[in-house]
Amino acid sequence: MAGPKSSSKLSPASSETSVAVSTLWKSYLDQTPDRLKFIDAFLAFIVLSGVLQFVYCVLVTNFPFNAFLSGFASSVGQFVLTASLRAQVNPENRSEFKEVSPERAFADFALGSIVLHFFVFNFLG
């Protein structure tokens, strides 16, 4: 008696999705400058850090709740500042940020990060 055949074919919708994702990924790798890829990697790290903090708070403990709030607010704030930096240094957005040089954008990012972490540190108590 023959067993059930395993089909290695993907459904048409799944196949179209995988083709679209692979095309998007190849286009990202080919057309995105290295500077933006580095910023994107940092954004992914910040998201991972925030998710891990939230999961730890839910599964283990939230005893010093202000510590969780500080850490999570730091992740969210740093993500917003980094996303703003990415938008300002992206060469495709030059028309929207005519008067902001990449050096000025980074200086704004650094100053904003210092202020953010000053408030986070003070919130810890």
Side-chain angles (χ1 to χ4, degrees):
M1 195 179 296
K5 292 184 178 180
S6 64
S7 175
S8 64
K9 300 262 185 193
L10 298 173
S11 68
S14 171
S15 176
E16 290 175 11
T17 303
S18 65
V19 168
V21 168
S22 66
T23 303
L24 176 68
W25 183 250
K26 185 175 177 354
S27 174
Y28 173 79
L29 291 177
D30 292 342
Q31 297 177 2
T32 305
D34 289 338
R35 176 183 288 180
L36 294 182
K37 288 179 188 174
F38 183 71
I39 293 173
D40 291 340
F42 185 56
L43 285 169
F45 169 75
I46 293 170
V47 168
L48 180 65
S49 173
V51 168
L52 287 175
Q53 288 178 46
F54 183 77
V55 168
Y56 180 84
C57 179
V58 170
L59 295 180
V60 180
T61 184
N62 65 353
F63 167 58
F65 192 64
N66 59 339
F68 163 71
L69 287 179
S70 294
F72 195 74
S74 175
S75 294
V76 171
Q78 194 65 47
F79 183 88
V80 169
L81 289 171
T82 308
S84 174
L85 174 67
R86 188 192 192 285
Q88 291 178 8
V89 299
N90 190 349
E92 293 180 8
N93 295 342
R94 267 336 277 144
S95 62
E96 293 190 32
F97 300 103
K98 293 175 187 170
E99 64 278 347
V100 180
S101 68
E103 292 81 12
R104 164 74 190 270
F106 184 75
D108 291 345
F109 167 76
L111 181 64
S113 295
I114 289 169
V115 171
L116 169 71
H117 288 92
F118 174 76
F119 283 109
V120 166
F121 183 74
N122 281 328
F123 186 73
L124 284 172

